[in-house]
Amino acid sequence: MTSHNRNTPVFSCEFFPPKTDVGMEKLMAVQRHLQKNIQPAFFSVTFGAGGSTRDRTLETVNHLLANGATDVAPHISCVGSSKSEIKALLDTYISKGIRRLVTLRGDIPQDSQAAGDFAHASELIDFIREDSGDHFHIEVAAYPEYHPESATPESDFENFTQKVKAGANSAITQYFYNIDAYLRFVEKCEQVSLGIPVVPGIMPITNFASLTRFSDTCGAEIPRWIRKQLEAFQDDTASLQRFGCDVVSELCTRLLEQGAPGMHFYSLNQAEATLAIWQRLKSV
Ligand code: FAD
């Protein structure tokens, strides 16, 4: 398994499970394209809250393994799940040779009481470590601009440290466009000697409406100078994407210069935007 080393950044790409066979076929082509160019250390596959994509996540993991992916890391979220359901999933992943998990609480569905055996991601990590020791490399979520439900910045950071104490090996951040928020978060981790890599999550900018909608719910700020410019492009998608590529490539370059241990690309199941950023990084 690829581990983090200060001098060699580790890159990874995230997918969500497609809903149709055609979507799956397209995703496998995207994976091959990304694999050939970026050679990511792993591909991760998201998991719908409450297990809503449980079967499709597993199916996507199977397809990626059969498609020659270097390493695959399923996301696993615990909201609304029982211990026996999680145990069954862990057993399945162990039987498939999976060694890395992105371990989350998940978003609580609005129409559900989210009854289940776990309240927070740290409890899921405790359970995984109890169940399968050190079999899995555990990735967790980090929020440089704070999780939207957090009571205070201090308690949010304290809750993050709980996940590390429970046994997380590394973290991937929510996406951000304010580099200072990330650098400050990393500094706080260093101050308390957390000792795990915090990999920036990178969201390419390709669509104004979906980016703003998602950013409002997940608590990632789009700085005014970016939002205003994106808004001004209106239907001029080519200019918007060119500007988006400039902004995100510059962010990535600065992050690497500042010692970021890698990048996790939220590919949205598309190769082009991630590869455009990648090409720019390579040419720096
Ligand atoms: P937690 O770490 O449990 O934190 C959730 C909230 O609870 C925070 O506000 C935290 O401060 C608070 N908290 C934590 N512990 C305590 C405690 N002991 N007492 C009081 N408060 C506490 N969602 C999906 O549904 N599927 C996915 O595949 C998925 N993938 C993701 C991948 C990444 C890299 C990231 C950054 C997010 C992803 N998400 C995914 C979104 C994530 O599930 C949501 O942000 C969710 O709301 C929180 O999950 P968490 O694991 O960060 O939760």
Side-chain angles (χ1 to χ4, degrees):
M1 201 185 311
T2 313
S3 57
H4 291 264
N5 160 325
R6 276 195 82 78
N7 303 316
T8 318
V10 171
F11 296 95
S12 51
C13 298
E14 181 171 311
F15 293 143
F16 58 84
K19 290 200 172 96
T20 62
D21 291 350
V22 175
M24 186 67 81
E25 234 172 85
K26 281 191 186 151
L27 182 62
M28 293 306 113
V30 167
Q31 184 266 325
R32 286 192 293 273
H33 210 30
L34 292 172
Q35 174 97 43
K36 191 168 142 231
N37 288 278
I38 302 182
Q39 294 167 334
F42 64 94
F43 291 91
S44 81
V45 185
T46 62
F47 188 85
S52 57
T53 68
R54 182 196 165 101
D55 292 344
R56 285 192 287 119
T57 297
L58 185 56
E59 194 192 337
T60 309
V61 167
N62 286 336
H63 273 83
L64 288 168
L65 290 170
N67 207 39
T70 18
D71 195 5
V72 182
H75 294 208
I76 177 168
S77 79
C78 59
V79 69
S81 295
S82 66
K83 287 187 175 172
S84 59
E85 284 167 331
I86 296 289
K87 164 87 179 129
L89 202 51
L90 294 177
D91 288 347
T92 304
Y93 286 139
I94 290 172
S95 74
K96 295 193 167 299
I98 296 292
R99 300 299 301 262
R100 187 189 293 261
L101 294 173
V102 181
T103 304
L104 306 141
R105 182 198 69 179
D107 281 324
I108 300 169
Q110 277 172 352
D111 56 353
S112 132
Q113 296 301 308
D117 289 338
F118 306 90
H120 306 291
S122 56
E123 295 173 12
L124 175 59
I125 300 165
D126 282 335
F127 181 76
I128 296 173
R129 288 299 182 222
E130 246 175 68
D131 178 75
S132 27
D134 286 338
H135 177 85
F136 292 108
H137 177 109
I138 296 184
E139 305 269 357
V140 287
Y143 301 87
E145 296 181 312
Y146 311 118
H147 185 265
E149 289 164 37
S150 61
T152 62
E154 288 71 25
S155 65
D156 204 32
F157 186 72
E158 177 54 33
N159 293 331
F160 174 71
T161 67
Q162 282 306 320
K163 297 195 275 194
V164 181
K165 287 179 192 147
N169 301 101
S170 47
I172 301 172
T173 74
Q174 184 56 277
Y175 67 87
F176 57 87
Y177 300 107
N178 293 307
I179 190 168
D180 288 344
Y182 170 79
L183 295 177
R184 199 172 165 77
F185 187 89
V186 170
E187 201 179 298
K188 277 166 83 177
C189 293
E190 282 166 4
Q191 278 164 3
V192 295
S193 306
L194 273 193
I196 67 162
V198 179
V199 174
I202 303 297
M203 180 67 87
I205 298 176
T206 56
N207 180 302
F208 179 63
S210 58
L211 183 71
T212 44
R213 197 172 46 243
F214 191 55
S215 301
D216 288 345
T217 57
C218 76
E221 190 196 42
I222 307 176
R224 180 179 160 85
W225 66 274
I226 299 179
R227 189 183 275 262
K228 283 284 184 195
Q229 181 61 79
L230 294 175
E231 216 168 10
F233 287 126
Q234 296 198 357
D235 293 336
D236 182 357
T237 310
S239 299
L240 182 144
Q241 293 183 353
R242 229 179 353 258
F243 171 75
C245 182
D246 279 352
V247 168
V248 180
S249 309
E250 208 170 292
L251 173 70
C252 292
T253 305
R254 290 174 61 204
L255 283 165
L256 290 175
E257 282 168 1
Q258 296 284 333
M263 320 237 122
H264 180 76
F265 291 106
Y266 294 109
S267 77
L268 302 177
N269 289 9
Q270 306 288 329
E272 291 74 17
T274 296
L275 282 177
I277 296 165
W278 178 255
Q279 296 302 344
R280 293 274 290 272
L281 281 183
K282 265 186 21 186
S283 63
V284 174

